[in-house]
């Protein structure tokens, strides 16, 4: 009897060990990978922008450890844990907040669009330096503050991406590709990528697991709905209406909320460029219109294009935008907190698609256009 109990303990210990070793392996995320080698960890980022076949590698070595002799030559060396971080996009603020590391931010770009009050206050006092205003990046200032880590992403368009001068500076520029993921939980899982630089892997795993558990419970709850409304998204910009592709995280979130996204059959991850006429042909009788650019009222939407009033969703007052918490300068917590906590965004969509299914819950990010 004792021997059998001992065998059981050994089995449980081995299983727990396996889980520990595999804890940093992505569950939903497809665009990053973390590998452990003697003396360092290797982070690989792929699919950084549309049609990209390039990979980016980062070798993480603890500050207290000697440099391993076998570090990959094509990998950027980063000593961990990092203590001075520059965020080139506001999305990283959401990850750092979740990991309790807001105090490590020493610089930020597009500071007008930051919604986190703590970070905004530190920008106002000068504790966080402004790294970019518009298209002008202050590389000299970045060299002066000497960050341990610069977090950014790229689109493949040189006019928007980090300039070659910054890459040549020798500063630790690290690219992420969370926005190219196909599932809302995949974007949340980039917590593990950010945590690796902070040596907060255990905290990230617990945070992500709690978020995923809540998200999947909401998916099961939404599946109980008796109807599935038809949904379309967006609004034209400069004459082009980019609707989310059928393999985008937006399309996945709509499906998880038990909605029927009209472009679900498309194989694109990014936006599909269309004109208003083509969108109208497909979405004229759709039940719900989501995320119509930055419009917050029906009069403003109709004044932008009188044809918008012809959509059934507009006539029936079923146009919703994720602008409920937008600040006076355009900052929106859905791009910080909401990216990390897609369960909260999903709960909003379920409330919109199936009113009453989630009892006693008000919309957090979304509002109905009146």
């Amino acid at each position: 009897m004792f021997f059998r109990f001992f065998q059981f303990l050994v089995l449980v210990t081995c299983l727990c060990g396996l889980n520990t070793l595999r804890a940093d392996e992505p569950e939903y995320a497809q665009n990053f990978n973390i590998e452990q080698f003697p003396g360092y960890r290797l982070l690989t980022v792929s699919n950084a922008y549309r049609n990209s076949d390039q990979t980016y590698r980062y070798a993480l070595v603890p500050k207290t450890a000697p440099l391993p002799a076998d570090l990959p030559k094509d990998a950027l060396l980063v000593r961990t844990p990092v203590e001075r971080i520059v965020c080139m996009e506001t999305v990283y603020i959401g990850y750092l907040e979740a990991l309790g590391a807001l105090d490590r931010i020493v610089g930020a770009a597009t500071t007008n669009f930051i919604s986190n009050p703590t970070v905004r206050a530190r920008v106002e006092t000068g504790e966080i330096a402004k790294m970019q205003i518009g298209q002008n990046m202050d590389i000299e200032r970045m060299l002066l503050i000497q960050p341990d880590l610069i977090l950014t992403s790229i689109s493949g368009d040189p006019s928007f991406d980090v300039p070659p001068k910054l890459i040549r500076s020798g500063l630790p520029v690290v690219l992420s590709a969370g926005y190219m993921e196909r599932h809302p939980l995949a974007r949340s899982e980039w917590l593990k990528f950010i945590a690796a630089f902070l040596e907060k892997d255990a905290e990230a795993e617990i945070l992500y697991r709690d978020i995923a558990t809540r998200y999947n419970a909401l998916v099961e709850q939404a599946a109980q709905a008796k109807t599935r409304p038809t949904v379309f998204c967006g609004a034209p910009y400069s004459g082009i209406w980019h609707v989310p592709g059928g393999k985008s995280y937006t399309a996945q979130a709509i499906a998880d909320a038990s909605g029927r996204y009209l472009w679900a059959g498309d194989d694109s991850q990014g936006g599909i460029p269309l004109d208003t006429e083509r969108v109208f042909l497909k979405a004229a009788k759709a039940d719900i219109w989501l995320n119509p650019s930055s419009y917050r009222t029906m009069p403003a939407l109709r004044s932008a294009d009188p044809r918008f009033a012809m959509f059934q969703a507009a006539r029936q007052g079923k146009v919703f935008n994720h602008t409920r918490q937008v600040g006076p300068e355009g900052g929106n917590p859905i791009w910080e907190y909401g990216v990390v906590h897609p369960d909260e965004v999903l709960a909003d969509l379920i409330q919109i698609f199936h009113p009453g299914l989630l009892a006693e819950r008000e919309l957090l990010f979304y509002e109905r256009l009146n």
Side-chain angles (χ1 to χ4, degrees):
M1 186 73 177
F2 175 80
F3 179 72
R4 288 182 179 177
F5 180 70
F6 177 77
Q7 284 183 311
F8 173 75
L9 285 179
V10 171
L11 176 62
V12 169
T13 302
C14 290
L15 289 174
C16 290
L18 282 174
N19 288 337
T20 301
L21 289 172
R22 296 173 60 87
D24 56 4
E25 292 186 7
E27 180 182 24
Y28 286 91
Q30 300 178 353
N31 297 337
F32 79 87
N33 187 45
I34 303 176
E35 299 173 276
Q36 181 69 56
F37 294 93
Y40 71 97
R41 304 172 77 189
L42 186 64
L43 276 60
T44 302
V45 174
S46 59
N47 194 32
Y49 55 91
R50 185 181 293 187
N51 300 322
S52 169
D53 57 2
Q54 187 173 353
T55 58
Y56 304 86
R57 303 208 292 174
Y58 309 99
L60 277 56
V61 180
K63 290 179 179 178
T64 56
L67 289 179
D70 61 342
L71 287 177
K73 289 183 170 50
D74 65 337
L76 174 69
L77 171 64
V78 180
R79 288 288 200 161
T80 61
V82 297
E83 296 174 1
R84 298 174 61 77
I85 302 173
V86 169
C87 298
M88 297 304 295
E89 294 145 38
T90 62
V91 66
Y92 303 113
I93 294 171
Y95 294 113
L96 294 172
E97 178 187 25
L99 293 166
L102 288 180
D103 60 332
R104 304 193 194 195
I105 301 175
V106 295
T110 59
T111 54
N112 288 350
F113 293 103
I114 294 172
S115 67
N116 184 285
T118 300
V119 177
R120 287 187 65 85
R122 291 183 60 212
V123 170
E124 291 301 318
T125 61
E127 295 175 76
I128 294 177
K130 296 180 180 180
M131 294 289 98
Q132 183 178 8
I133 300 176
Q135 295 297 315
N136 299 316
M137 186 178 298
D138 194 341
I139 297 175
E140 286 71 22
R141 194 172 191 184
M142 205 174 296
L143 286 165
L144 284 174
I145 66 174
Q146 284 295 302
D148 301 322
L149 180 66
I150 300 171
L151 290 169
T152 189
S153 64
I154 56 175
S155 65
D157 185 342
S159 61
F160 292 100
D161 296 337
V162 291
K165 184 179 178 182
L166 178 58
I167 301 295
R168 293 195 301 268
S169 71
L171 292 170
V173 179
V174 170
L175 302 179
S176 69
Y179 81 102
M180 289 293 291
E181 295 286 0
R182 298 187 177 193
H183 197 289
L185 282 175
R187 300 196 75 188
S188 177
E189 199 168 13
W190 277 78
L191 270 167
K192 300 176 184 180
F193 180 85
I194 304 297
F197 294 93
L198 303 169
E199 295 187 357
K200 286 178 171 279
D201 305 88
E203 294 96 321
E205 181 63 29
I206 293 171
L207 279 167
Y208 167 74
R209 186 55 47 201
D210 287 345
I211 292 166
T213 298
R214 291 193 297 270
Y215 188 98
N216 289 320
L218 285 167
V219 173
E220 292 182 8
Q221 198 167 352
Q224 300 171 12
K226 296 179 181 179
T227 60
R228 296 183 67 210
T230 51
V231 183
F232 72 107
C233 302
Y237 178 78
S238 296
I240 304 297
W241 193 318
H242 288 88
V243 301
K247 300 300 182 184
S248 64
Y249 60 85
T250 299
Q252 183 65 54
I254 291 170
D256 287 343
S258 284
R260 287 195 294 131
Y261 180 51
L262 293 180
W263 278 267
D266 181 87
D267 289 332
S268 304
Q269 284 181 252
I272 308 167
L274 301 171
D275 55 44
T276 299
E277 289 77 11
R278 292 181 66 185
V279 174
F280 185 77
L281 284 173
K282 196 162 190 172
K285 295 184 179 180
D287 298 309
I288 293 172
W289 183 356
L290 290 180
N291 311 335
S293 186
S294 59
Y295 300 110
R296 302 188 67 176
T297 68
M298 289 304 300
L301 185 65
R302 287 191 293 265
S303 65
D305 190 329
R307 293 174 296 179
F308 292 164
M310 298 169 63
F311 286 98
Q312 176 178 290
R315 294 199 310 270
Q316 296 183 351
K318 293 185 178 180
V319 184
F320 297 84
N321 208 351
H322 46 47
T323 49
R324 186 182 183 93
Q325 295 191 53
V326 169
E329 295 187 81
N332 191 338
I334 196 170
W335 305 124
E336 296 173 18
Y337 182 86
V339 169
V340 182
H341 299 269
D343 52 313
E344 298 281 8
V345 181
L346 180 63
D348 268 13
L349 294 180
I350 294 172
Q351 188 72 10
I352 291 168
F353 298 171
H354 312 288
L357 191 61
L358 303 181
E360 298 181 4
R361 184 190 184 278
E362 293 186 2
L363 295 176
L364 180 62
F365 299 110
Y366 276 84
E367 61 184 349
R368 184 197 299 267
L369 271 63
N370 296 311

